[in-house]
């Protein structure tokens, strides 16, 4: 079973303007839609589209607008079991997209969890996560400290799960220190972790010593990964990009799908690229189309990096 754990999910409200956002003017919208925000939930939504992989989305959700969140989960036919936080709302993020391109994101800090809420999550992990399960963990909510995050990771490891985290800064540091199984910093996240002009693959190598499956994603330039003692860069073909929001989550999904199916590292990375280079061809942050896979697979390039 693949569990995605989203401590601070979000409801994204995407607003397309007729023009560009202008100060002291009535900015008329052209289109508006609601989508899933909060990274690991994207992984569950995309796993459903890949099919054949048992998975469940969990985490915390606000009791007051639970129905709105569940309506989006249902749209992606997700299997979910969230811990309700009483008298709170799951955060909403407003994304304003200019007609000429470019966007503004306005977001709430989201759920504030109590010690009792955290205990419920730890109990859920102890009761449900079994050896050989995979857990994809996202960035904590307010009230969930870096220390609590470390505790959660240790608990998942005690349950003998394969632990994957798509987090940045201090949380990425903890994930590495705790020797989890998979991290996927992007270029900016790895440069934040290791400032300086050392080549990116050497920065990645510092993580590989501690995290056996570490990949660095490079946006349209693909991803860097290590097999035995050699580094490779896989580069997706040029595709028509509608939105790269959620590209990283789609990459994580493909990689984890490969782990669940026993693929080797090169094939896991290939699946990461298939999902993410398909995702960027859609506006939704968690929509892929398997019909895109054949073109991507036949046109991706792999180079050795020295
Ligand atoms: P997120 O915004 O979801 O956190 P990220 O910054 O973590 O994303 P990126 O490095 O931007 O992740 O992209 C992840 C993957 O998505 C890349 O490895 C690549 O396969 C794919 N991808 C991103 N941008 C493009 C693009 N313009 N064309 C094709 N593929 C892309
Ligand atoms: Mg990016
Ligand atoms: Mg990312």
């Amino acid at each position: 079973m693949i569990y995605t754990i989203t401590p601070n999910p979000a409801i994204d409200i995407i607003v397309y303007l007729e023009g560009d956002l202008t100060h002291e003017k009535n900015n008329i919208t052209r289109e508006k839609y609601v989508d899933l925000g909060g990274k690991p939930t994207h992984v569950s939504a995309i796993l459903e589209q890949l099919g054949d992989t048992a998975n469940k989305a969990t985490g915390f959700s606000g009791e007051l607008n639970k129905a709105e969140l569940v309506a989006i989960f249902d749209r992606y036919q997700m299997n979910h079991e969230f811990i309700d936080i009483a008298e709170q709302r799951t955060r909403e993020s407003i994304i304003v997209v200019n007609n000429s391109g470019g966007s503004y994101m306005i977001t709430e800090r989201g759920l504030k969890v109590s010690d009792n809420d955290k205990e419920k999550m730890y109990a859920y992990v102890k009761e449900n996560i079994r050896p050989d399960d995979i857990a994809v963990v996202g960035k904590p909510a307010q009230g969930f400290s870096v220390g609590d995050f470390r505790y959660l990771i240790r608990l998942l490891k005690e349950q003998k799960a394969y632990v994957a985290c798509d987090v940045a800064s201090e949380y990425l540091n903890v994930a590495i220190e705790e020797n989890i199984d998979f991290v996927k910093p992007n270029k900016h996240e790895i440069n934040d972790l290791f400032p300086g002009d050392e080549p990116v693959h050497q920065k990645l190598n510092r993580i590989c010593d501690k995290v056996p499956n570490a990949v660095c994603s490079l946006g349209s330039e693909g991803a860097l990964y290590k097999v035995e003692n050699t580094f490779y860069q896989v580069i997706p073909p040029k595709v028509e990009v509608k939105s790269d929001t959620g590209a990283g989550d789609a990459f994580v999904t493909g990689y984890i799908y490969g782990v669940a199916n026993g693929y080797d590292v090169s094939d896991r990375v290939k699946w990461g690229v298939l999902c993410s280079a398909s995702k960027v061809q859609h506006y939704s942050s968690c929509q892929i189309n398997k019909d895109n896979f054949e073109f991507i697979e036949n046109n991706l390039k792999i180079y050795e990096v020295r």
Side-chain angles (χ1 to χ4, degrees), residues 235-237 270 273-274 291-301:
I235 303 177
K270 182 185 84 185
V273 172
L274 293 178
D291 292 345
N292 301 144
F293 285 7
E294 192 179 341
F295 173 79
I296 299 165
E297 179 160 15
N298 290 338
N299 292 283
L300 56 76
K301 295 195 167 58

Side-chain angles (χ1 to χ4, degrees), residues 39 166 184 186 189 248:
K39 290 181 166 297
D166 188 7
K184 185 219 66 66
N186 65 23
E189 290 159 352

Side-chain angles (χ1 to χ4, degrees), residues 106-277:
I106 302 156
T107 186
E108 296 173 306
R109 293 205 185 276
L111 298 171
K112 211 169 200 167
V113 299
S114 67
D115 288 346
N116 188 35
D117 300 325
K118 286 183 268 187
E119 286 306 327
K120 284 186 194 164
M121 169 160 302
Y122 303 148
Y124 185 90
V125 166
K126 285 183 197 157
E127 255 166 57
N128 293 281
I129 312 271
R130 300 274 160 266
D132 297 330
D133 281 344
I134 296 172
V136 182
V137 188
K139 191 180 160 187
Q142 296 180 84
F144 205 97
S145 67
V146 177
D148 295 332
F149 180 70
R150 190 188 296 275
Y151 182 76
L152 175 64
I153 285 178
R154 288 189 178 165
L155 214 51
L156 289 163
K157 288 193 68 174
E158 273 167 31
Q159 301 300 103
K160 303 202 164 24
Y162 179 101
V163 183
C165 285
D166 188 7
V167 291
S169 46
E170 66 262 47
Y171 302 105
L172 177 57
N173 246 328
V174 168
I176 296 166
E177 281 168 13
E178 293 299 322
N179 303 104
I180 70 159
D181 298 280
F182 173 74
V183 293
K184 185 219 66 66
N186 65 23
K187 206 167 35 187
H188 310 290
E189 290 159 352
I190 207 165
N191 285 329
D192 281 348
L193 204 61
F194 306 115
D197 35 354
E198 191 182 15
V200 178
H201 73 281
Q202 281 171 21
K203 293 183 179 182
L204 178 65
N205 199 29
R206 299 212 215 170
I207 300 179
C208 293
D209 291 341
K210 298 198 143 192
V211 177
N213 299 154
V215 176
C216 178
S217 66
L218 307 168
S220 61
E221 308 279 286
L224 270 175
Y225 60 103
K226 187 181 183 183
V227 179
E228 280 154 22
N229 280 319
T230 308
F231 287 93
Y232 297 93
Q233 181 175 352
V234 56
I235 303 177
K238 232 186 162 34
V239 295
E240 197 202 318
V241 179
K242 293 212 169 95
S243 158
D244 67 1
T245 302
D249 313 334
F251 187 98
V252 171
T253 312
Y255 193 99
I256 290 305
Y257 178 82
V259 173
N261 285 288
Y263 298 168
D264 66 18
V265 169
S266 309
D267 277 342
R268 293 174 189 178
V269 170
K270 182 185 84 185
W271 275 83
V273 172
L274 293 178
C275 290
S276 56

